[in-house]
């Protein structure tokens, strides 16, 4: 798969996990084209997976956060209004943007941008026009289950 194909997949699905198991697709397995046992780093397509993840997580159309079960989650821009509408129903850590920074030593460090500092004004305006039911329906079945736990 190419980064463009993976971005199209994220747009279609709306919300995906990067590599953790959960109620929605795991992007690493989508890229690999098969289930991955153990770490994806050891998979024969590990370098391809890394390159594609780097590209899609840097896209302005993808929010990187810990929305689903506290695991790294990618949310396509088309669902940001729904997420913003329901933000108070999630913990602050779930709706904070996670940005990966590369240190001079080559390490990757995650920095969080608190909600709503990462949200564009136009998205906030769109969120106000959604009902809670519309926002839940837009996010999908996993959100219904997650929100009923709260």
């Amino acid at each position: 798969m190419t980064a463009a194909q993976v971005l199209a997949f994220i747009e279609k699905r709306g919300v995906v996990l990067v590599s953790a198991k959960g109620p929605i697709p795991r992007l690493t397995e989508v890229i690999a084209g098969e289930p991955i046992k153990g770490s994806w780093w050891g998979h024969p397509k590990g370098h391809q997976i890394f390159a594609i993840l780097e590209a899609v997580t840097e896209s302005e159309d993808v929010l990187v956060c810990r929305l689903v079960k506290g695991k790294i989650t990618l949310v396509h821009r088309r669902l940001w209004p729904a997420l913003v509408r329901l933000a108070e129903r999630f913990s602050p850590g779930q709706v904070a943007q996670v940005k990966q920074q590369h240190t001079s030593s080559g390490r990757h460090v995650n920095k969080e941008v608190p909600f709503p500092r990462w949200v564009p004004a136009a998205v906030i305006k769109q969120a106000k026009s959604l009902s809670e039911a519309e926002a839940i329906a837009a996010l999908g079945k996993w959100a219904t289950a997650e929100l009923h736990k709260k």
Side-chain angles (χ1 to χ4, degrees):
M1 293 188 88
T2 66
Q5 289 170 319
V6 172
L7 279 171
F9 178 83
I10 296 168
E11 181 176 11
K12 180 179 179 183
R13 294 303 300 225
V15 181
V16 298
L17 287 163
V18 169
S19 63
K21 290 183 181 178
I24 57 177
R26 298 166 73 181
L27 200 53
T28 53
E29 293 186 340
V30 171
I31 297 166
E34 64 185 7
I36 298 175
K37 292 187 190 261
S39 172
W40 61 266
W41 282 102
H43 191 275
K45 293 184 179 177
H47 291 291
Q48 178 188 14
I49 292 168
F50 177 78
I52 291 173
L53 289 177
E54 285 280 294
V56 300
T57 58
E58 291 177 11
S59 170
E60 292 183 5
D61 291 330
V62 175
L63 168 68
V64 180
C65 60
R66 296 184 185 278
L67 185 63
V68 180
K69 298 186 179 282
K71 303 300 182 184
I72 297 293
T73 309
L74 307 181
V75 182
H76 192 271
R77 178 180 288 272
R78 75 175 177 81
L79 291 183
W80 293 1
L83 180 59
V84 170
R85 173 64 176 86
L86 298 172
E88 66 185 27
R89 307 258 321 254
F90 294 104
S91 73
Q94 286 176 285
V95 291
Q97 180 184 45
V98 177
K99 288 189 160 260
Q100 193 170 83
Q101 295 179 335
H102 305 277
T103 65
S104 58
S105 67
R107 290 184 54 234
H108 296 167
V109 178
N110 288 333
K111 301 284 184 182
E112 291 190 0
V113 178
F115 176 84
R117 286 201 338 220
W118 60 264
V119 183
V123 171
I124 293 172
K125 184 176 179 181
Q126 289 174 303
K128 290 177 181 177
S129 70
L130 290 175
S131 71
E132 188 170 286
E134 289 170 326
I136 292 170
L139 289 179
K141 290 181 183 181
W142 72 267
T144 303
E146 185 76 20
L147 291 170
H148 279 76
K149 291 181 193 176
K150 308 261 180 237

